[in-house]
Amino acid sequence: GENVEQHPSTLSVQEGDSAVIKCTYSDSASNYFPWYKQELGKGPQLIIDIRSNVGEKKDQRIAVTLNKTAKHFSLHITETQPEDSAVYFCAASIRNDYKLSFGAGTTVTVRA
Amino acid sequence: EAGVVQSPRYKIIEKKQPVAFWCNPISGHNTLYWYRQNLGQGPELLIRYENEEAVDDSQLPKDRFSAERLKGVDSTLKIQPAELGDSAVYLCASSLRGTGGEKLFFGSGTQLSVL
């Protein structure tokens, strides 16, 4: 099955700086890569996703890049704010397979 | 629009006791998932329903776990008997068929502690 690895496990950044989280996946058939944000006591919430026919996608301060050849994808958060503090999960799946494999998560702390 | 509703939010039980979790998905979402999230880990799929049919339960420990989704709406996940290693957050999610099952909406989960 799919194996998703995520790094780093923790990330502390100064408010206003950028944060980058990287993930690798094992199954070359995977073609859908979402990112979820989980705040304390809540369930994961989808923040952005990308499909394998696209190399980069941006939504305001967040962006995701995908390198299919190397089988890795990254989340970029620019101009970080205190409300960006949370646990972020990457995931991968084969479209229409309905089975998301999640990374272990990255705890992001934005220092004021 | 109401999100995915789960109850209870917290449950503390002694080992060997039974426990049940309830989930109400977003209205109109025919695909329902139960995930388990261990501390410091990402969610792992236990079972997926399409309407009332369990179409993927390969990761469900069937000796002690059971689930049902009557009438294709609400769902219940049960553990009997619970073991210490079952302590985790149990998340329910739903998605709308026709979207490739990709955009999952999660509930806030039930945090289970087995003593």
Side-chain angles (χ1 to χ4, degrees):
Chain A
E2 176 65 277
N3 181 44
V4 178
E5 295 191 354
Q6 184 171 348
H7 301 279
S9 58
T10 61
L11 181 59
S12 180
V13 297
Q14 189 70 35
E15 182 177 359
D17 288 351
S18 295
V20 180
I21 304 169
K22 299 181 179 181
C23 290
T24 60
Y25 61 98
S26 60
D27 191 341
S28 58
S30 289
N31 55 11
Y32 176 66
F33 309 92
W35 286 86
Y36 284 81
K37 176 183 181 182
Q38 187 172 27
E39 298 177 332
L40 196 62
K42 297 184 179 180
Q45 179 182 11
L46 179 67
I47 56 172
I48 195 168
D49 57 8
I50 191 168
R51 294 183 175 84
S52 59
N53 58 346
V54 176
E56 183 175 356
K57 184 177 179 180
K58 188 175 182 180
D59 183 3
Q60 299 183 339
R61 295 187 297 106
I62 60 173
V64 58
T65 59
L66 171 66
N67 183 325
K68 288 174 55 180
T69 302
K71 291 191 285 188
H72 67 71
F73 55 113
S74 301
L75 178 72
H76 304 251
I77 307 173
T78 59
E79 302 174 14
T80 54
Q81 300 170 4
E83 54 264 36
D84 294 329
S85 295
V87 180
Y88 292 81
F89 293 95
C90 61
S93 75
I94 301 172
R95 194 163 192 262
N96 293 323
D97 187 35
Y98 294 83
K99 186 173 289 185
L100 277 177
S101 296
F102 285 84
T106 297
T107 301
V108 174
T109 303
V110 179
R111 307 187 306 272
Chain B
E1 178 184 272
V4 176
V5 179
Q6 290 188 247
S7 68
R9 288 284 285 118
Y10 306 93
K11 191 72 176 180
I12 301 174
I13 61 172
E14 294 187 347
K15 63 181 180 181
K16 300 185 181 180
Q17 294 299 306
V19 64
F21 316 122
W22 175 81
C23 173
N24 180 242
I26 292 174
S27 178
H29 282 195
N30 57 329
T31 307
L32 183 146
Y33 314 74
W34 283 102
Y35 279 83
R36 178 167 59 189
Q37 185 174 23
N38 292 313
L39 188 64
Q41 298 295 318
E44 295 178 324
L45 180 67
L46 290 174
I47 189 169
R48 173 171 67 90
Y49 281 92
E50 289 289 346
N51 299 308
E52 64 274 8
E53 181 182 1
V55 295
D56 184 356
D57 63 356
S58 57
Q59 302 301 312
L60 189 73
K62 298 180 184 63
D63 57 336
R64 297 183 300 105
F65 286 65
S66 64
E68 61 181 9
R69 190 183 185 197
L70 300 176
K71 301 181 181 179
V73 181
D74 295 1
S75 178
T76 303
L77 178 68
K78 299 179 181 178
I79 309 175
Q80 182 171 14
E83 297 180 351
L84 296 177
D86 295 332
S87 295
V89 175
Y90 291 83
L91 294 163
C92 179
S94 68
S95 67
L96 184 61
R97 191 172 191 177
T99 64
E102 297 163 346
K103 297 188 186 298
L104 268 61
F105 294 84
F106 283 88
S108 294
T110 296
Q111 185 170 333
L112 174 66
S113 296
V114 182
L115 306 178

